[in-house]
Amino acid sequence: MLRVLVVDDQFLIRSGLTALLGAAPGFEVAGEAADGEEAVRLAAETRPDVILMDIRMPGTDGITATERILAEAEAEAEARAGAGAGADGGDGGTGRVRPKVLVLTTFDSDAYVFRALRVGASGFLLKDTPPDRLLAAIATVHAGEMLFSPRALQGIIAAYAAPVTRDPHPGLAALTPREREVLGLVGAGLSNSAIAERLVLSAATVKTHVHRCMSKLGVSSRAQAVVLAHESGLVTRPS
């Protein structure tokens, strides 16, 4: 059962989303929040698996709330790891689950996409996404994959098509040639299974490479790895 926290300042949208989730097999509404501050509080209290996060809300916006929620969950996981309780990204039986955040908004803006990715969101969809696709998206991000609306993905590619001028990330030097190749494909939006097919590797091997890349680069989400891959010039420029 996937537990989902719904965050949106518009009552009708919240009601529609909770009704959809409540009627869908395998989903459970963990709570509802009307603003970012309430989202941060409820995320700590209800420990959802996935958070559907609006961006523009009164007071604390969705991106700021996402950053705080994920930072708090990460800090708790690190504290538990230091105490020997384990830090596998789950709850270890009693601890806090690190939620996946799926940004759901009416604003198809590249700036919002990039900001959401940089703070660790796992995906970005428009609110006009059909119900069946939304439910599938929630399951996808919960499984550790990333998900974007086609327009959002096109915006990411276009924004990073120009030559890279940023200094390379210091962690890149620690990556093996294969890890750099895998990171580039992650940055291009490929899933682990698609990367495995492209490189003729097993999905388990690709997963290991991705985890090692993230560890060496000091990023906590696949979304942040995508941004870093683009900013470091590892993603092939679209032809």
Side-chain angles (χ1 to χ4, degrees):
M1 185 75 70
L2 290 185
R3 303 181 68 252
V4 183
L5 173 62
V6 178
V7 184
D8 198 293
D9 64 323
Q10 298 184 46
F11 174 76
L12 289 179
I13 292 179
R14 283 202 320 277
S15 298
L17 290 172
T18 55
L20 171 66
L21 293 166
F27 294 88
E28 176 184 340
V29 178
E32 300 178 43
D35 56 53
E37 285 296 330
E38 189 176 16
V40 174
R41 177 178 61 80
L42 287 178
E45 292 178 359
T46 65
R47 304 175 186 271
D49 299 304
V50 177
I51 301 173
L52 291 181
M53 182 71 76
D54 189 19
I55 288 183
R56 288 190 174 181
M57 295 180 288
T60 302
D61 65 24
I63 293 177
T64 301
T66 295
E67 184 173 25
R68 288 174 54 187
I69 289 168
L70 297 181
E72 289 180 9
E74 185 67 22
E76 183 174 330
E78 290 177 357
R80 286 177 52 76
D88 58 358
D91 64 3
T94 58
R96 180 177 179 181
V97 173
R98 301 179 205 174
K100 306 294 185 182
V101 178
L102 180 59
V103 174
L104 197 60
T105 182
T106 56
F107 302 98
D108 192 15
S109 165
D110 296 344
Y112 288 135
V113 176
F114 303 146
R115 288 181 60 205
L117 287 175
R118 285 191 175 94
V119 300
S122 297
F124 188 102
L125 288 179
L126 298 181
K127 289 182 180 178
D128 61 3
T129 299
D132 57 337
R133 287 186 56 195
L134 176 58
L135 294 174
I138 294 171
T140 295
V141 298
H142 179 256
E145 298 289 348
M146 293 176 55
L147 194 143
F148 304 99
S149 68
R151 280 176 285 176
L153 186 56
Q154 289 171 5
I156 293 173
I157 294 172
Y160 288 106
V164 177
T165 58
R166 291 173 57 95
D167 293 333
H169 188 287
L172 289 174
L175 300 184
T176 66
R178 177 63 88 183
E179 288 168 350
R180 291 174 67 94
E181 186 176 21
V182 169
L183 181 60
L185 294 174
V186 168
L190 275 66
S191 65
N192 285 357
S193 58
I195 294 172
E197 183 176 354
R198 175 80 64 88
L199 300 181
V200 195
L201 299 171
S202 70
T205 297
V206 171
K207 184 177 181 180
T208 297
H209 283 313
V210 172
H211 283 313
R212 286 177 177 170
C213 287
M214 292 173 61
S215 177
K216 291 178 180 180
L217 296 171
V219 298
S220 59
S221 74
R222 193 180 183 99
Q224 291 170 324
V226 168
V227 173
L228 192 151
H230 278 279
E231 292 181 336
S232 301
L234 295 180
V235 181
T236 302
R237 180 172 179 168
S239 57

